[in-house]
Amino acid sequence: MVNNLEQGYFGIGIQNGKTPENLGVLWRSAQNMGASFIFTIGNRYAKQACDTHKAVGAMPYFHYDTFDDFFNNLPKGAMLVGVELTKEAKQLETFTHPRRCVYLLGAEDHGLSKTAIEKSHHLVKFKSELSLNVAVAGSIIMYDRQAKLSVL
């Protein structure tokens, strides 16, 4: 098993999230899966009824008004991993997660902005023809990261 120092860190968030319920579920998963921080870009939801574990009190929450504000404040050395159904995106099953990264998800109806797609260091997608619920997609990404980085 890889020790925590070798694993690095990750943050996860949503650009222009549609519903506060999805964000609350994603935050709860983020806390359970070891995220270092959570964030929103655009729509702001600071407190969620479905965040029963109170993730906002357990880890840093950041809000950015615009994608550029977010991108200019990425942690030094962190790779931006966009989650999007595009031809260019790599299948999650074969994706190697960066040790230090930030996962960015878009709302189910619009996905990531064109700028977010262009500026992502990596793009990943699932074997799925249709969009997944953002909280489900984020949870799958975090589980995959945890599973792959736990293996020697």
Side-chain angles (χ1 to χ4, degrees), residues 85 91-94 125-130 132:
L85 286 171
Q91 290 290 341
L92 181 62
E93 294 80 4
T94 58
K125 63 183 173 184
F126 304 105
K127 284 188 179 176
S128 171
E129 295 300 314
L130 303 174
L132 293 175

Side-chain angles (χ1 to χ4, degrees), residues 24-87:
V25 173
L26 179 65
W27 288 353
R28 183 175 177 178
S29 292
Q31 184 180 14
N32 286 331
M33 295 289 184
S36 300
F37 61 92
I38 52 181
F39 64 92
T40 53
I41 303 170
N43 295 338
R44 181 184 194 127
Y45 304 108
K47 184 168 171 47
Q48 305 310 315
C50 49
D51 177 21
T52 57
H53 289 199
K54 298 183 172 86
V56 172
M59 71 179 82
Y61 162 66
F62 301 97
H63 174 74
Y64 304 95
D65 290 328
T66 66
F67 175 81
D68 287 335
D69 184 30
F70 159 76
F71 191 78
N72 292 333
N73 286 288
L74 279 174
K76 185 175 174 125
M79 304 295 282
L80 177 58
V81 179
V83 181
E84 188 65 55
L85 286 171
T86 66
K87 276 194 220 178

Side-chain angles (χ1 to χ4, degrees), residues 89-97 122-127 144 148:
K90 188 164 188 178
Q91 290 290 341
L92 181 62
E93 294 80 4
T94 58
F95 180 67
T96 301
H97 296 266
H122 301 281
L123 291 171
V124 295
K125 63 183 173 184
F126 304 105
K127 284 188 179 176
D144 188 74
K148 288 176 180 173

